[in-house]
Amino acid sequence: MPEGHTLHRLANDVWDAFGGRKVRASSPQGRFAEGAGLLDGHLLRQTEAHGKHFLAELEGGGWLHIHLGLIGKMDIHAAEAGLVPEPVGQVRLRLQNRTAYADLRGATVCEVITDEERDKLIGRLGPDPLRDDADPELAWKRIHRSRLPIGQLLMNQDVLSGVGNVYRAEVLFRAKLNPMTPGNVLKKREWQGMWDDLLELMKYGVETGRIDTVADDHTPEAMGRDPRQDDHGGEVYVYRRQGQRCHVCQSVIRTKLLAGRNLFWCPKCQRTGLTRKS
């Protein structure tokens, strides 16, 4: 599933292509015909991301709300010589103007919502490290009063918004925290360290479109190893590296299911936290 940095990149890209101008909206697939009709011909006033949610305000047309889910994707292309090709495949929503077009496919959510519905959506989400208005204290309060494992809490979008399985696994490794450490055992300085680390890692993700989490000493070049071969890309410590050796201590990376999602960790590097008394 796309993580928060992907939605922030999308918000930036949609604004660059259509911001401040009127946009044509259609639903070639037909499933979003009514919603596209509400957006069609209106000026795009702003785009934003809150965690894994993309929002675009169209003047007089409401808010376009998109959640990409597991397979959703919006591709944006330049319209060469003002020409836009016919849609290919199941395009839920097409946005276009004289210079660009964007096709949305496979999204879990694609809808038009009101100001009140947008505010309600945002109100139930935890703070997003990529937003300037985010308050890490809100997430800390929810974590500190919970007995659930920190590895589960980090994936709860009501606690922390935008963090998915990759960032969850990697930030816990970098913090040397066992993912099964109960939230109410976590120290505040540890939480602040993870928040600061997420902010740095996710900003890098927005800039590059990749999730790279390894330090300079652990890159393929520094270690003389082959680059990671994975559809998700990026150099990581533990995510989807089960059965392989840890880049730091050479222990075997482990995996297990936690709340329906695969969890990855190093049993030696991530001992901290689990055995503490609350």
Side-chain angles (χ1 to χ4, degrees):
M1 180 181 293
E3 307 208 17
H5 73 285
T6 301
L7 280 302
H8 282 268
R9 278 179 65 88
L10 178 60
N12 293 340
D13 291 344
V14 171
W15 178 258
D16 289 343
F18 307 106
R21 290 167 286 172
K22 291 184 178 180
V23 62
R24 301 304 309 270
S26 63
S27 180
Q29 181 192 60
R31 289 181 57 188
F32 189 58
E34 183 177 351
L38 295 173
L39 304 175
D40 188 41
H42 292 282
L43 182 142
L44 181 62
R45 294 185 59 182
Q46 62 175 310
T47 61
E48 60 183 15
H50 291 263
K52 299 181 180 183
H53 299 263
F54 166 84
L55 290 156
E57 183 186 14
L58 286 100
E59 192 172 63
W63 289 85
L64 171 63
H65 170 221
I66 293 172
H67 191 295
L68 294 176
L70 287 171
I71 62 171
K73 188 176 182 181
M74 178 177 272
D75 296 309
I76 304 174
H77 306 276
E80 297 183 8
L83 299 177
V84 176
E86 290 296 317
V88 177
Q90 298 296 307
V91 177
R92 181 86 57 83
L93 169 66
R94 168 169 281 189
L95 302 176
Q96 67 182 79
N97 58 21
R98 294 180 181 178
T99 59
Y101 67 98
D103 288 340
L104 175 69
R105 299 176 175 87
T108 301
V109 176
C110 178
E111 61 181 355
V112 178
I113 60 176
T114 65
D115 289 343
E116 290 182 356
E117 290 169 329
R118 169 194 170 274
D119 293 343
K120 184 177 180 180
L121 168 68
I122 295 170
R124 67 174 175 78
L125 295 174
D128 177 347
L130 286 171
R131 292 189 57 86
D132 293 338
D133 58 2
D135 183 1
E137 188 68 19
L138 294 178
W140 166 247
K141 289 178 179 178
R142 293 167 182 170
I143 290 169
H144 190 56
R145 63 173 178 248
S146 176
R147 296 182 179 180
L148 291 175
I150 185 61
Q152 183 173 342
L153 291 168
L154 289 178
M155 293 279 283
N156 185 338
Q157 299 300 297
D158 294 345
V159 174
L160 185 64
S161 191
V163 172
N165 212 2
V166 188
Y167 284 123
R168 180 263 298 268
E170 295 301 300
V171 78
L172 285 171
F173 177 87
R174 287 163 61 100
K176 307 305 179 190
L177 275 170
N178 189 291
M180 299 307 294
T181 303
N184 62 357
V185 172
L186 198 70
K187 297 178 180 178
K188 189 170 184 179
R189 60 174 175 79
E190 291 172 325
W191 161 243
Q192 187 63 53
M194 283 195 292
W195 175 271
D196 294 342
D197 201 28
L198 282 169
L199 179 58
E200 181 178 343
L201 292 174
M202 295 177 77
K203 279 187 174 180
Y204 176 85
V206 174
E207 294 169 359
T208 65
R210 289 168 54 96
I211 300 179
D212 285 299
T213 64
V214 301
D216 291 343
D217 291 345
H218 303 128
T219 63
E221 296 79 12
M223 298 185 70
R225 59 179 176 84
D226 292 332
R228 178 171 176 249
Q229 299 296 319
D230 189 282
D231 292 342
H232 289 74
E235 290 295 333
V236 296
Y237 283 108
V238 293
Y239 176 70
R240 285 174 55 157
R241 295 194 64 245
Q242 67 272 23
Q244 300 179 46
R245 296 289 177 178
C246 174
H247 295 323
V248 177
C249 74
Q250 297 300 303
S251 297
V252 176
I253 302 301
R254 295 183 182 178
T255 185
K256 66 181 290 186
L257 279 176
L258 177 63
R261 299 296 300 274
N262 289 322
L263 179 70
F264 307 91
W265 80 101
C266 173
K268 184 176 181 180
C269 289
Q270 294 176 257
R271 291 176 176 174
T272 305
L274 186 61
T275 57
R276 292 183 191 146
K277 295 181 180 180
S278 58

